Amino acid sequence: MEKPQVFRVNSPQVVSETIDGEVVIVNLDKGYYYSLLKTGAYIWSGIERHLDRDSIVVELTRTYLGNVEEISTAINDFLDELQREEIIVLTTELISEHPNEIVEMGEKQLFEKPILEKFTDMEDLLLLDPIHEVDVDSGWPNVKTA
Amino acid sequence: MINDILPIYQLSLCQKLLLQATLLQGERAMQAWDCWQSLIDIENLDPSSNVLLPQLYKNLLIHDVKHPYMARLKGIYRRNWYANQLRLKDLKIILSYLKDDEIDVIILGKASFGSYPIENCRSIDSFRLLVQEKYLERANQKLTAVNWQEDDPTPKTLIHLQGHLFWAIPQDHIDNLVWHNATPDWSDRLGWRLSVTDQFLDSCTRTFFKGHSQQIYGIADVMILIQNSSNDIDWMRLVSQAQRYQMILPVRNMLIILQNILKPSVPNWVLPALWQMPIAHAEWLSYKILADDKRSFWQSIYAHSVRPLNYFGTKLRELKQTPFPGRQVLKSLLKVR
């Protein structure tokens, strides 16, 4: 039987903060900035709670409406992408004592594929005026479109 | 015109409302926010107000505010958070270098608020580091060795390395007191943190020091110290140290502003005690006075009227150190003859 795969945030080179449902992440070694919303942010909370890969899938299939197989594939792809970006790493030390705590969301919402939004041209983005040169509806680091 | 001669600290209505919307809770905060956002254009804010926007965003979020400005405020917060993470990483590297050489550092200024909820609400544009005077030169050499150049014309981040925080005689004793009251708990014991009382004093002096441009974040910093660490503020010590270090005026200014705008919980005796203390001549010259403080205004005018005599004296001493040009003129005249 395969060992459960548990992840941890690749700290100290990766730091994150959750702001109003959005997870913002920075890889301090590379300077890259990432953003997770909705299901991506939910999966992140599972990682922070040290849920193993299968438990994250189970929790999201219970929380969201959708085809179980599609949800499972999307989550696994997403976790692989987070690993490739060196944002999370596998760990053998941390296993959640309270797996599958369902977050109350009222009525079940339709599952949306998690997206890892990545910004690499940070030197330019840091020079942006965060009031005048950004998209009014989404704010920095989203540049105002002409 | 008088402001040029006698720097006066005056908050605009919008700045007062911004402080209230940023630092208060509940209905008072929301009333201030409603009023502020109706009066301002976010695209034309004064630089001093801009500094508070990340913290304003955090408070609005707590109050579940929905407003078209929120997206941009969130963006400002994100940018600030991202930039600060990179700067804090640099700071941790610096502290590790110095720690390896057994040089302890107290982190001052915007990077000092590590454990407070405003950690990511101030833009850390420079590092103010306090080391013991005897290690100052060694710390400087150590940092220069790792490419922190004194004369770098385009530094991305500045380090202000200092050996003293407060000035009084005997200086060694004052320096030791600062270290005695500090705690080694900044970021996994990499650095030290000032006692809350010393942090309070430092914020007051920097807010009202004449050489600095008017900033309102210092007021917010002190308010946060009171809100989060009121039990750690030694008010007796604060008042006595303010007197000893000749910092009565900035502390008094701060408490008057806080009382008028934010009404924090401060022991009743503190402000009257500060009003009774005589203020040294140097204080009137060093710190800004509040616009509506008539008594301080006249005292400060008097101090300034005495200052030109001192300045004249300094200029005369400078002249003595340089060769007297008249003699050269005389020599050339003699040669001609």
Side-chain angles (χ1 to χ4, degrees):
Chain A
M1 191 180 158
E2 267 189 55
K3 267 188 170 181
Q5 285 192 321
V6 182
F7 302 95
R8 66 168 177 84
V9 178
N10 191 13
S11 56
Q13 58 265 50
V14 171
V15 285
S16 70
E17 183 171 315
T18 304
I19 319 161
D20 193 22
E22 177 190 5
V23 180
V24 288
I25 304 164
V26 55
N27 183 323
L28 294 169
D29 286 345
K30 296 173 181 171
Y32 296 165
Y33 172 93
Y34 304 88
S35 163
L36 307 178
L37 290 162
K38 299 178 182 173
T39 42
Y42 197 148
I43 294 169
W44 187 261
S45 84
I47 294 164
E48 287 188 318
R49 284 182 283 132
H50 310 127
L51 294 186
D52 64 74
R53 191 187 278 263
D54 293 340
S55 300
I56 292 174
V57 173
V58 169
E59 189 167 304
L60 266 87
T61 48
R62 283 181 189 169
T63 310
Y64 289 96
L65 283 172
N67 179 291
V68 175
E69 203 171 315
E70 279 174 20
I71 291 175
S72 173
T73 308
I75 292 170
N76 283 318
D77 289 350
F78 183 70
L79 289 170
D80 292 343
E81 191 181 4
L82 291 177
Q83 272 188 285
R84 271 197 309 278
E85 291 293 329
E86 297 170 12
I87 295 171
I88 58 169
V89 288
L90 275 170
T91 178
T92 50
E93 293 162 10
L94 303 159
I95 302 243
S96 175
E97 291 171 9
H98 308 285
N100 301 132
E101 287 175 359
I102 308 295
V103 179
E104 282 298 327
M105 294 179 67
E107 217 169 286
K108 268 190 171 186
Q109 290 179 330
L110 204 62
F111 179 80
E112 286 178 40
K113 202 176 167 191
I115 296 167
L116 176 67
E117 207 176 353
K118 179 181 177 183
F119 298 85
T120 55
D121 49 348
M122 295 313 293
E123 221 165 316
D124 292 337
L125 289 176
L126 270 181
L127 291 174
L128 274 186
D129 177 335
I131 291 179
H132 301 93
E133 295 173 345
V134 297
D135 185 90
V136 176
D137 297 323
S138 53
W140 187 93
N142 303 293
V143 187
K144 186 188 259 178
T145 45
Chain B
M1 183 64 189
I2 194 81
N3 279 15
D4 297 336
I5 310 163
L6 199 69
I8 287 173
Y9 196 94
Q10 186 164 27
L11 294 171
S12 67
L13 172 64
C14 286
Q15 288 174 329
K16 289 177 189 173
L17 290 168
L18 176 60
L19 282 164
Q20 290 173 338
T22 303
L23 292 150
L24 296 178
Q25 296 302 312
E27 205 172 321
R28 281 183 67 203
M30 287 305 91
Q31 279 172 356
W33 157 250
D34 285 341
C35 197
W36 182 77
Q37 59 85 15
S38 69
L39 290 173
I40 58 101
D41 170 6
I42 200 167
E43 303 208 354
N44 291 303
L45 270 186
D46 62 292
S48 181
S49 295
N50 266 320
V51 179
L52 281 190
L53 296 183
Q55 195 179 347
L56 170 70
Y57 170 72
K58 282 282 246 193
N59 205 33
L60 296 180
L61 205 56
I62 292 169
H63 291 86
D64 201 24
V65 169
K66 310 281 181 223
H67 190 275
Y69 283 166
M70 285 300 274
R72 272 191 286 183
L73 290 174
K74 185 178 182 180
I76 292 166
Y77 181 87
R78 281 188 295 229
R79 187 196 173 282
N80 210 49
W81 175 84
Y82 171 78
N84 278 358
Q85 294 309 316
L86 296 183
R87 296 239 160 87
L88 287 170
K89 179 198 165 197
D90 287 345
L91 179 56
K92 286 171 190 171
I93 293 170
I94 289 167
L95 295 177
S96 297
Y97 279 134
L98 297 174
K99 203 177 172 75
D100 287 348
D101 218 16
E102 292 176 350
I103 300 172
D104 286 327
V105 179
I106 295 179
I107 294 93
L108 307 171
K110 291 175 188 165
S112 66
F113 284 89
S115 68
Y116 288 97
I118 57 161
E119 180 186 14
N120 295 310
C121 291
R122 299 278 179 273
S123 173
I124 302 170
D125 43 14
S126 61
F127 305 137
R128 277 180 65 216
L129 307 178
L130 179 72
V131 298
Q132 289 177 56
E133 176 71 4
K134 59 185 173 185
Y135 297 132
L136 194 57
E137 192 49 43
R138 213 166 89 200
N140 198 43
Q141 285 170 359
K142 185 92 179 158
L143 292 178
T144 311
V146 288
N147 281 335
W148 284 89
Q149 302 299 330
E150 275 181 86
D151 52 358
D152 187 346
T154 55
K156 285 183 179 168
T157 310
L158 282 174
I159 297 179
H160 303 284
L161 209 54
Q162 58 193 83
H164 309 295
L165 183 65
F166 304 125
W167 282 262
I169 296 170
Q171 188 63 52
D172 283 353
H173 175 67
I174 301 302
D175 293 342
N176 288 340
L177 264 183
V178 169
W179 282 94
H180 174 77
N181 291 309
T183 45
D185 60 356
W186 192 92
S187 185
D188 293 332
R189 304 179 77 85
L190 260 183
W192 290 61
R193 191 192 308 277
L194 282 181
S195 70
V196 179
T197 309
D198 286 345
Q199 214 166 348
F200 193 119
L201 281 169
D202 186 44
S203 293
C204 292
T205 54
R206 294 189 68 77
T207 302
F208 295 103
F209 193 68
K210 269 181 190 165
H212 297 173
S213 60
Q214 177 160 319
Q215 283 292 354
I216 57 173
Y217 75 82
I219 298 168
D221 287 353
V222 173
M223 184 64 185
I224 278 179
L225 291 177
I226 296 174
Q227 284 174 330
N228 290 279
S229 313
S230 61
N231 291 339
D232 297 326
I233 299 174
D234 183 341
W235 292 100
M236 286 293 277
R237 201 175 135 249
L238 181 92
V239 170
S240 65
Q241 301 300 67
Q243 187 175 32
R244 187 170 191 182
Y245 305 150
Q246 300 191 344
M247 292 174 174
I248 298 164
L249 190 59
V251 174
R252 200 172 78 185
N253 284 351
M254 182 64 81
L255 290 175
I256 291 170
I257 288 180
L258 288 174
Q259 214 69 55
N260 288 342
I261 303 173
L262 301 164
K263 303 196 178 358
S265 171
V266 174
N268 288 337
W269 59 269
V270 175
L271 204 46
L274 290 166
W275 273 111
Q276 281 179 5
M277 289 176 174
I279 293 176
H281 186 83
E283 276 199 65
W284 296 115
L285 294 176
S286 301
Y287 298 108
K288 292 173 191 171
I289 54 164
L290 299 182
D292 50 0
D293 180 0
K294 296 277 187 300
R295 212 155 99 187
S296 297
F297 178 82
W298 291 113
Q299 293 277 10
S300 202
I301 287 276
Y302 170 74
H304 277 261
S305 70
V306 179
R307 190 173 68 158
L309 289 174
N310 295 341
Y311 266 37
F312 188 58
T314 309
K315 276 180 184 166
L316 276 178
R317 278 200 296 274
E318 280 174 6
L319 276 174
K320 279 176 194 168
Q321 290 164 356
T322 53
F324 180 50
R327 189 173 291 174
Q328 302 300 321
V329 175
L330 195 64
K331 270 184 185 175
S332 63
L333 283 172
L334 287 170
K335 274 178 191 172
V336 170
R337 280 188 182 180

